[in-house]
Amino acid sequence: MPVQIPDDTDFSSFKEQCENHEGWTARYNKGSVTVWCRDEECKTIQKLKMRIVCKDVTAETLYDVLHDTSYRKKWDSNMIDTHDIGRLTVNADVGYYSWKCPSPLKNRDFVTMRSWLPLGNDYLIINYSVKHPQYPPKKDYVRAVSLLTGYLIQSNGAKSSTLYYLTQVDPKGSLPKWVVNRASQFVAPKAMKKIYKACQKYPEWKRKHNPNLKPWIYPEQNTLPCINVADLVLQRADSLENIDESRLTEEKQAQHHSDDEET
């Protein structure tokens, strides 16, 4: 299937999904973090939605942190590798991301098309999986599929903001129930708190690391090679290998729990 770059209708639809909680079940609600789950008809796919209120972080800082791949390497401990592959338009690109799964699961990776849009006082970033001819599935990774993943950032005033993160991913495999439960109860809240902490430290870090370089705001700074959207194909989940990890048991359970309960 051909790849379509998101338009205003797609961004508006994504925003509505973030703000409308009908049909969602709250699995975690503690402090400033809430996590909702929505079971899809296909049981291999889990749809998660998270929200965190950042009382001392501006919407602009959140937007910068989520874009800045150089800084991500400083705070995203689950990430193995991430890099931009090329640009499609002034507000759309293609990138690669791989991350560590809890042992003994195999690690996953994505190739996604990402698009972003400032909308009034809000900022939106959304992505979905595509095929790129130079980035086929790797031997040591399971190529997962993002059906729709993204962020909605809302300004709550001069120094406060709210971040929504919504993800609908096919991990390409039959996962054990402990993985699904742990995702909503431990991994998701911890991830939101890590983003919040990263945002608090970002202004100082950015002052020392190319403070004026923000190609997501100033497209003339973008030096990525151009990609023709016609060279990309929508990544369909059924074209990738499924693996059965449903019988795997969790390793170092106590250690995982202590890590994930950090605040």
Side-chain angles (χ1 to χ4, degrees):
M1 293 178 63
V3 169
Q4 300 287 336
I5 296 175
D7 58 19
D8 289 355
T9 303
D10 297 311
F11 282 106
S12 296
S13 173
F14 179 80
K15 180 180 178 183
E16 196 274 336
Q17 288 188 65
C18 289
E19 295 178 323
N20 186 351
H21 306 315
E22 185 178 349
W24 294 81
T25 302
R27 294 285 181 87
Y28 181 98
N29 190 359
K30 187 176 180 180
S32 60
V33 180
T34 307
V35 180
W36 296 268
C37 292
R38 186 168 187 154
D39 294 328
E40 298 300 299
E41 292 181 5
C42 178
K43 294 303 181 182
T44 62
I45 300 170
Q46 188 178 39
K47 203 169 183 178
L48 286 178
K49 178 167 63 174
M50 302 151 236
R51 180 184 65 198
I52 185 169
V53 178
C54 305
K55 295 182 179 179
D56 54 353
V57 171
T58 66
E60 291 77 13
T61 296
L62 259 170
Y63 189 58
D64 288 348
V65 167
L66 294 172
H67 269 290
D68 199 329
T69 54
S70 295
Y71 186 59
R72 186 162 196 139
K73 297 167 186 176
K74 299 288 184 182
W75 63 267
D76 188 352
S77 58
N78 290 321
M79 182 190 74
I80 298 171
D81 180 31
T82 186
H83 56 267
D84 299 325
I85 296 171
R87 56 178 163 158
L88 295 164
T89 67
V90 294
N91 69 321
D93 62 16
V94 177
Y96 175 83
Y97 179 83
S98 57
W99 87 99
K100 290 178 279 189
C101 287
S103 182
L105 302 182
K106 285 190 174 183
N107 295 328
R108 261 67 175 175
D109 68 355
F110 291 102
V111 175
T112 60
M113 191 211 67
R114 178 182 61 167
S115 187
W116 55 93
L117 182 72
L119 195 64
N121 292 326
D122 300 336
Y123 296 91
L124 295 100
I125 305 171
I126 59 178
N127 76 57
Y128 60 82
S129 286
V130 295
K131 285 183 182 180
H132 187 287
Q134 296 177 11
Y135 284 81
K138 295 183 176 182
K139 179 181 178 182
D140 296 330
Y141 291 87
V142 176
R143 177 62 49 89
V145 177
S146 168
L147 301 172
L148 177 65
T149 298
Y151 302 92
L152 167 64
I153 304 164
Q154 297 179 317
S155 176
N156 300 333
K159 295 183 178 180
S160 179
S161 57
T162 298
L163 172 65
Y164 285 91
Y165 173 59
L166 186 150
T167 180
Q168 186 176 15
V169 169
D170 188 337
K172 293 312 302 171
S174 301
L175 297 177
K177 190 173 182 179
W178 63 262
V179 172
V180 177
N181 291 338
R182 189 172 161 242
S184 59
Q185 296 292 328
F186 300 102
V187 178
K190 183 183 178 185
M192 296 300 277
K193 293 171 186 176
K194 286 176 74 173
I195 292 173
Y196 184 20
K197 287 184 178 181
C199 288
Q200 292 173 315
K201 297 176 181 179
Y202 181 73
E204 181 180 353
W205 180 90
K206 188 61 176 172
R207 278 193 292 269
K208 301 174 183 177
H209 300 83
N210 297 314
N212 298 317
L213 182 63
K214 295 183 179 182
W216 51 92
I217 297 176
Y218 310 111
E220 65 275 9
Q221 297 178 345
N222 196 324
T223 59
L224 291 172
C226 291
I227 296 177
N228 189 333
V229 69
D231 294 334
L232 302 174
V233 179
L234 187 66
Q235 177 67 74
R236 294 176 60 89
D238 57 13
S239 69
L240 293 168
E241 180 186 4
N242 258 316
I243 62 168
D244 186 358
E245 297 175 302
S246 59
R247 298 182 183 277
L248 295 178
T249 56
E250 187 170 15
E251 295 179 359
K252 301 180 181 178
Q253 178 83 4
Q255 181 64 42
H256 284 321
H257 275 210
S258 64
D259 288 346
D260 289 332
E261 289 168 352
E262 289 177 2
T263 56

